[in-house]
Amino acid sequence: MAKTNGAKTETSAQELPADKDTEDTATVKDSSEVVEATQDIDEILNSLKSLLSALEKLQKVRQEVGDVKPLIGRVLDGELIAGEELEQLKAGVSGLSRLVRAYSDHQAALTKAQPARNLLDQVLKEGHAV
C-alpha cells in the first residue's frame, strides 16, 4: 500500500503544476487583454484628438480663404474684377490647395476616429446600467 500511496502522491504532484500552468496562462491572457484594451482606448482617444486638431485646421483655412466662391463664379462668367476683390480672389485661390489638404486630412481623421463612436456607445450604456 505504501507504493500505491507514493504513486498517487507523485501523480498528484505532477497534476498540480499543470493546473498551475493553466491558471498562469489564463492570468497572462487576461492581463494581455487588459493591456490591449487599454492600448485600444488610448488609440481611440488619440484619434479623437487628431480629429479635433484636423477640424480646427480646416475651420482656420476656411476662414482664411474666405468666401471666394462668388468671386470665382464671377470670373468664370467672364466678369472682370479689380482692386480689393482681385486681391481677395488671389488669396482665396492660393488658399484653395491648403483647403483641399485640410479637408482631406479631416476626412482621414474622421474615418480613423469612427471606433470612438462604438466606445462611446458602450461606455454610455454601461454608465446607465449602473
Side-chain angles (χ1 to χ4, degrees), residues 5-60:
N5 287 343
K8 285 183 181 177
T9 303
E10 287 175 15
T11 304
S12 297
Q14 289 173 355
E15 289 175 2
L16 232 117
D19 291 340
K20 185 170 171 57
D21 288 342
T22 304
E23 289 174 12
D24 289 344
T25 303
T27 303
V28 169
K29 284 182 183 177
D30 290 344
S31 297
S32 65
E33 287 174 1
V34 168
V35 169
E36 286 177 18
T38 302
Q39 289 172 342
D40 288 346
I41 291 170
D42 287 344
E43 287 176 19
I44 288 170
L45 292 175
N46 286 335
S47 69
L48 283 174
K49 290 176 185 176
S50 296
L51 176 59
L52 180 59
S53 174
L55 179 62
E56 288 175 335
K57 287 178 185 176
L58 178 60
Q59 293 294 353
K60 182 179 178 186

Side-chain angles (χ1 to χ4, degrees), residues 122-130:
Q122 182 181 1
V123 169
L124 290 177
K125 285 179 186 176
E126 289 177 7
H128 290 293
V130 175

Side-chain angles (χ1 to χ4, degrees), residues 64-106:
E64 289 173 2
V65 169
D67 193 12
V68 73
K69 185 178 176 182
L71 290 175
I72 292 173
R74 287 172 46 197
V75 170
L76 290 173
D77 289 340
E79 187 177 326
L80 296 176
I81 59 171
E84 188 179 315
E85 287 182 327
L86 181 60
E87 293 304 315
Q88 185 182 1
L89 180 62
K90 286 179 184 178
V93 169
S94 68
L96 285 177
S97 62
R98 288 185 322 211
L99 182 59
V100 169
R101 272 195 310 273
Y103 179 78
S104 177
D105 291 347
H106 175 258

